[in-house]
């Protein structure tokens, strides 16, 4: 079983090697800005002691992908820009020593430039730009930038400290591909983005690197690698299920592979460095023993199994899924799980949900205000959770992917925006004579218009106000709905919205359970008119919301509402 070899190497570790840049790679193209930024980063970096270890932090130069040609000779598949710049910095630092004390630098040769090795070793000049060819132009420009950078630092600049940091506190991720791999194919796939060197790929190489099992016999090694690779694939497969993925994530994640989410949860090193998660895991591999491999892999499995346990427990699924959906950091939830018994953890979850509403008065919650989305979401989730005889679950994946939002049950006039040519049709679909529509003159005028007569564009706004009635932005007139359905009926009264809700459900669109209950009038005690969202319906709906989420509400709110 062949696996790529991975390690961390200091710049000083590279000196004994010779590197060959194949012709399929583009030439050196780093600009003054890129070179200067690297020099500044290294200069500003300050190594710090790592707690509970004998090591210090280090600056990472990102991966260098190589394939072995011979002893200490390597084809560079990826990372040649960084490698060339590293050589140029080392070359300049070497000039500060008398010739017999200078370090022997690593060899660097470009296949496309026959004399490139000699040029780099003997002809670099910090004063002039070599325009013999495009590669030498950029190399000489970069070298001049390096020389000027050190010169501009002045005589007080501590070159020795910089050199020490560069040689021993600056490291690369050394990624050695299998001898059987085709170099051009690897290069093509890396640069087309099909196999970027992700944290997950680098961490996988740590676990499946044969050097980590040096003391194991070949059969035992093969079986252990198969075991980890198989379990890795099972975790990846489970995370591909959107129902699971969106349960543990607030939004869609841009990770290259979803298993990296598990590694990010475990890492305690937030950083701008895209490989900080890999650094965290690399530090966990000290002895490179079989026990260390097993212990680290068991820790990963434990994290995943905890998430899977939550997902498979109906109550934890709904309550933890709710907390994550409203913004609670899953790392905080995992921390509480680790520190508490099962009973205390369950109690903490309830308290955490309750804490979100400690200052909420439902009577004061309004459209576009605080808490409204959180309350409507909790109403839907708790409604499903309360039905203990059912196995159906709230679809967090649909809630997040379909961009559910807060919508008026019965439209308000300020939402209505109807083109002139559609205004008569709007009146036909939305106007129903009710107790609120008692103005006989306006009723007759609307009926006259609905019969196909023209409408005065200046009077349509007044008619809309009459048709829709008093504006209601309270919780009694709000529900959750997916953006697609929302766009299709935003201008409509309850009658037309109800019709479209039924049509979309027949087509297979998922309608949130509480929204469906609203438009089917399941909350209403005395249904007088199925096509009108009246005061009785609003009151019944509001009381149901109160009752369902009562356990999370401040008791003073309920007492006040009963007065």
């Amino acid at each position: 079983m062949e696996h790529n070899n991975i390690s961390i190497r200091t710049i000083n570790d590279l000196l004994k090697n010779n590197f060959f840049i194949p012709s399929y790679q583009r030439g050196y193209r780093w600009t003054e800005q890129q070179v200067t930024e690297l020099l500044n980063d290294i200069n500003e970096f300050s190594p710090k002691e790592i707690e509970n270890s004998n090591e210090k932090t280090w600056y990472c130069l990102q991966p260098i992908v190589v394939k072995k040609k011979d002893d200490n000779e390597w084809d560079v598949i990826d990372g040649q820009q960084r490698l060339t710049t590293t050589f140029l910095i080392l070359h300049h630092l070497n000039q500060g020593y008398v010739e017999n004390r200078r370090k022997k630098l690593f060899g660097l040769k470009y296949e496309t430039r026959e004399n490139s090795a000699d040029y780099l070793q003997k002809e670099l000049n910090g004063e002039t730009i070599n325009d013999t060819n495009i590669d030498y132009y950029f190399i000489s420009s970069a070298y001049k930038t390096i020389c000027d950078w050190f010169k501009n630092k002045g005589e007080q600049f501590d070159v020795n400290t910089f050199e020490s940091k560069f040689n021993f506190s600056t490291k690369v991720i050394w990624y050695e591909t299998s001898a059987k791999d085709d170099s051009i194919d690897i290069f093509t796939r890396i640069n087309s983005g099909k196999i970027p060197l992700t944290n997950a790929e680098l961490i996988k190489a740590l676990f499946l690197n044969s050097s980590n099992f040096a003391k194991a016999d070949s059969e035992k090694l093969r079986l252990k690698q198969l075991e980890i690779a198989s379990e890795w694939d099972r975790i990846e497969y489970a995370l591909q299920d959107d129902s699971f993925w969106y349960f543990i994530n607030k939004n869609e994640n841009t990770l290259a592979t979803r298993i990296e989410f598990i590694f990010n949860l475990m890492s305690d090193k937030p950083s701008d460095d895209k490989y900080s998660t890999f650094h965290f895991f690399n530090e966990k591999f000290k002895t490179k023993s079989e026990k260390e491999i097993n212990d680290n892999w068991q820790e990963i499995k434990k994290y995943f199994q905890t998430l899977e346990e939550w997902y498979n427990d109906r109550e934890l699924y709904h309550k933890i899924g709710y907390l994550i959906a409203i913004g609670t950091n899953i790392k905080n939830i995992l921390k509480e799980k680790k520190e508490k018994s099962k009973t205390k953890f369950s109690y903490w979850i309830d308290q955490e949900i309750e804490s979100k509403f400690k200052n909420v008065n439902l009577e004061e919650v309004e459209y576009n205000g605080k808490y409204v989305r959180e309350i409507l979401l909790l109403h839907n989730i708790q409604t499903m959770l309360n039905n203990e005889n059912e196995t159906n679950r709230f679809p967090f994946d649909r809630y997040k992917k379909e961009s559910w939002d807060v919508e008026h049950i019965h439209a308000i006039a300020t939402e209505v925006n109807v083109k002139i040519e559609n205004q008569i049709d709007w009146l036909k679909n939305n106007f129903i004579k009710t107790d609120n529509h008692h103005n006989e003159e306006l009723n007759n005028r609307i009926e006259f218009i609905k019969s196909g007569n023209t409408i005065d564009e200046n009077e349509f706004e007044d008619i809309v106000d009459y048709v829709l009635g008093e504006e209601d932005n309270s919780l009694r007139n709000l529900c959750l709905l997916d953006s697609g359905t929302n766009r299709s009926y935003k201008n409509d009264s309850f009658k037309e919205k109800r019709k479209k809700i039924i049509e979309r459900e027949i087509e297979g669109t998922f309608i949130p359970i509480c929204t469906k209950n609203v438009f089917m009038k399941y909350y209403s005690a005395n249904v007088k008119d199925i096509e009108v969202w009246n005061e009785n319906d609003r009151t019944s709906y509001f009381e149901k919301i109160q009752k369902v989420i009562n356990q999370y509400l401040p008791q003073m709110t309920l007492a006040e509402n009963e007065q």
Side-chain angles (χ1 to χ4, degrees):
M1 179 179 291
E2 292 284 346
H3 289 292
N4 296 326
N5 195 348
I6 188 168
S7 60
I8 299 294
R9 300 194 179 186
T10 65
I11 298 301
N12 196 65
D13 292 333
L14 303 181
L15 298 182
K16 61 186 178 183
N17 297 289
N18 292 304
F19 298 102
F20 182 75
I21 313 297
S23 59
Y24 56 76
Q25 296 218 29
R26 74 168 185 158
Y28 181 75
R29 295 295 182 269
W30 266 29
T31 64
E32 178 182 353
Q33 179 181 345
Q34 290 169 298
V35 174
T36 302
E37 286 176 352
L38 174 59
L39 290 166
N40 288 338
D41 285 347
I42 295 167
N43 186 46
E44 293 166 7
F45 174 74
S46 179
K48 295 180 175 58
E49 297 286 346
I50 298 175
E51 192 175 350
N52 300 321
S53 77
N54 296 321
E55 298 187 11
K56 292 184 178 181
T57 56
W58 42 275
Y59 179 82
C60 182
L61 267 185
Q62 313 283 323
I64 290 178
V65 183
V66 295
K67 180 180 177 181
K68 194 166 189 176
K69 286 170 63 73
D70 204 342
D71 288 344
N72 298 325
E73 292 190 5
W74 309 90
D75 275 342
V76 179
I77 298 174
D78 192 53
Q80 64 99 346
Q81 305 285 332
R82 294 182 291 278
L83 198 58
T84 301
T85 307
T86 296
F87 178 90
L88 296 176
I89 294 172
L90 289 170
H91 187 278
H92 175 78
L93 291 171
N94 238 0
Q95 307 314 302
Y97 297 95
V98 294
E99 190 168 351
N100 63 354
R101 292 193 61 200
R102 291 175 184 172
K103 292 182 178 180
K104 184 178 185 306
L105 305 185
F106 57 77
L108 189 61
K109 182 179 180 180
Y110 282 78
E111 185 178 12
T112 54
R113 303 297 173 193
E114 184 177 353
N115 300 315
S116 55
D118 284 342
Y119 172 71
L120 290 169
Q121 294 284 355
K122 302 174 183 178
E123 299 179 31
L124 285 174
N125 185 326
E127 301 296 326
T128 59
I129 303 299
N130 186 329
D131 58 3
T132 305
N133 58 64
I134 189 67
D135 292 327
Y136 288 2
Y137 171 81
F138 276 96
I139 289 172
S140 61
S141 296
Y143 188 66
K144 185 175 187 306
T145 297
I146 293 167
C147 294
D148 290 345
W149 186 87
F150 280 98
K151 182 179 179 180
N152 293 334
K153 288 296 179 183
E155 295 181 358
Q156 301 302 315
F157 181 66
D158 190 344
V159 177
N160 291 332
T161 297
F162 180 95
E163 184 173 6
S164 177
K165 284 195 293 186
F166 188 58
N167 282 324
F168 302 103
S169 297
T170 303
K171 302 183 181 183
V172 298
I173 300 171
W174 178 270
Y175 193 88
E176 182 182 335
T177 66
S178 168
K180 294 182 178 180
D181 294 335
D182 180 81
S183 299
I184 296 178
D185 181 56
I186 296 170
F187 173 81
T188 303
R189 284 183 286 153
I190 288 176
N191 286 276
S192 65
K194 291 181 181 178
I195 55 165
L197 288 180
T198 64
N199 281 287
E201 184 182 357
L202 294 169
I203 292 167
K204 189 174 188 179
L206 287 175
F207 281 101
L208 300 184
N209 187 346
S210 298
S211 66
N212 289 327
F213 300 89
K215 296 180 181 180
D217 61 52
S218 59
E219 181 61 18
K220 190 174 182 180
L221 168 59
R222 189 183 71 82
L223 291 174
K224 176 55 68 175
Q225 289 176 329
L226 281 172
E227 178 188 337
I228 292 176
S230 175
E231 290 175 339
W232 182 292
D233 289 344
R234 191 187 86 77
I235 293 173
E236 270 283 17
Y237 181 79
L239 292 171
Q240 291 306 311
D241 180 355
D242 279 352
S243 176
F244 186 20
W245 179 250
Y246 283 95
F247 157 62
I248 56 177
N249 280 277
K250 185 178 180 181
N251 300 302
E252 173 57 79
N253 211 306
T254 56
L255 297 173
T257 54
R258 288 185 173 183
I259 197 171
E260 194 167 324
F261 176 74
I262 307 293
F263 304 143
N264 289 342
L265 290 179
M266 298 174 66
S267 172
D268 58 1
K269 290 193 167 187
S271 170
D272 291 336
D273 177 8
K274 66 181 286 189
Y275 294 108
S276 62
T277 301
F278 165 72
H279 299 165
F280 170 80
F281 276 91
N282 184 67
E283 288 173 10
K284 295 168 75 69
F285 286 76
K286 302 297 183 185
T287 64
K288 303 226 171 179
S289 65
E290 184 177 349
K291 181 180 184 305
E292 189 175 66
I293 294 290
N294 284 332
D295 289 347
N296 286 334
W297 182 246
Q298 289 302 317
E299 187 180 3
I300 291 172
K301 285 174 61 178
K302 187 174 181 180
Y303 265 80
F304 171 73
Q305 287 164 354
T306 296
L307 300 177
E308 196 172 42
E309 176 188 330
W310 292 350
Y311 178 73
N312 291 325
D313 183 299
R314 193 165 183 269
E315 182 171 355
L316 291 176
Y317 168 83
H318 283 96
K319 291 181 178 180
I320 292 176
Y322 173 73
L323 286 173
I324 293 171
I326 65 173
T328 303
N329 192 319
I330 191 172
K331 282 191 175 184
N332 294 339
I333 303 175
L334 284 163
K335 180 175 179 291
E336 296 294 334
K337 167 67 169 63
K338 190 174 183 180
E339 296 174 352
K340 291 177 170 57
S341 67
K342 189 171 183 178
T343 301
K344 289 184 178 179
F345 178 60
S346 180
Y347 176 75
W348 175 84
I349 290 173
D350 287 341
Q351 292 296 108
E352 187 68 9
I353 297 175
E354 185 177 334
S355 70
K356 307 298 181 184
F357 302 104
K358 60 184 178 182
N359 298 317
V360 176
N361 183 336
L362 294 189
E363 292 280 6
E364 297 174 353
V365 174
E366 289 196 341
Y367 184 72
N368 282 338
K370 291 179 65 177
Y371 308 114
V372 62
R373 175 190 287 272
E374 290 85 348
I375 289 169
L376 293 173
L377 179 59
L378 182 59
H379 182 216
N380 276 272
I381 289 173
Q382 193 63 41
T383 294
M384 300 191 81
L385 189 55
N386 285 347
N387 192 342
E388 298 178 359
N389 295 323
E390 289 292 332
T391 59
N392 58 339
R393 292 140 63 99
F394 183 83
F396 288 105
D397 54 331
R398 304 195 71 155
Y399 170 71
K400 294 167 184 176
K401 288 196 294 184
E402 295 171 5
S403 303
W404 290 7
D405 207 351
V406 178
E407 179 55 38
H408 288 94
I409 297 169
H410 178 80
I412 59 174
T414 52
E415 285 187 333
V416 177
N417 182 20
V418 182
K419 295 179 180 178
I420 294 176
E421 61 268 25
N422 297 328
Q423 289 176 352
I424 294 176
D425 286 338
W426 186 90
L427 287 176
K428 288 179 179 179
N429 293 331
N430 288 277
F431 180 65
I432 302 174
K433 287 185 180 179
T434 68
D435 293 340
N436 292 327
H437 298 151
H438 49 72
N439 185 321
E440 196 62 31
E441 182 179 343
L442 258 178
N443 288 346
N444 291 335
R445 175 63 180 151
I446 292 171
E447 291 296 339
F448 179 71
I449 294 170
K450 285 170 61 179
S451 298
N453 295 283
T454 58
I455 183 171
D456 188 311
E457 59 181 288
N458 295 321
E459 71 175 329
F460 182 70
E461 187 175 326
D462 292 334
I463 292 176
V464 168
D465 287 340
Y466 178 68
V467 169
L468 296 181
E470 186 177 349
E471 185 171 295
D472 186 357
N473 283 306
S474 73
L475 197 57
R476 309 176 329 149
N477 191 39
L478 301 174
C479 66
L480 281 180
L481 206 58
D482 70 278
S483 58
T485 305
N486 186 4
R487 285 193 298 270
S488 73
Y489 85 166
K490 195 174 184 69
N491 290 326
D492 296 324
S493 66
F494 180 82
K495 169 196 172 184
E496 194 64 14
K497 288 184 177 185
R498 182 177 186 276
K499 176 184 174 184
K500 290 179 180 177
I501 289 282
I502 293 172
E503 288 173 353
R504 288 181 72 83
E505 187 172 39
I506 290 173
E507 293 168 356
T509 301
F510 177 83
I511 306 297
I513 187 169
C514 295
T515 301
K516 178 179 177 180
N517 290 346
V518 160
F519 284 96
M520 296 302 103
K521 290 212 172 187
Y522 293 155
Y523 295 128
S524 304
N526 299 302
V527 180
K528 294 182 178 179
D529 192 333
I530 199 69
E531 295 184 326
V532 177
W533 185 243
N534 58 36
E535 185 64 25
N536 171 61
D537 301 321
R538 297 171 197 231
T539 300
S540 297
Y541 174 50
F542 181 80
E543 290 174 351
K544 191 64 175 179
I545 294 175
Q546 269 189 319
K547 183 177 180 180
V548 170
I549 66 172
N550 174 32
Q551 68 195 83
Y552 307 111
L553 297 175
Q555 295 307 303
M556 57 174 288
T557 302
L558 292 178
E560 288 173 353
N561 288 335
E562 290 171 357
Q563 292 178 2

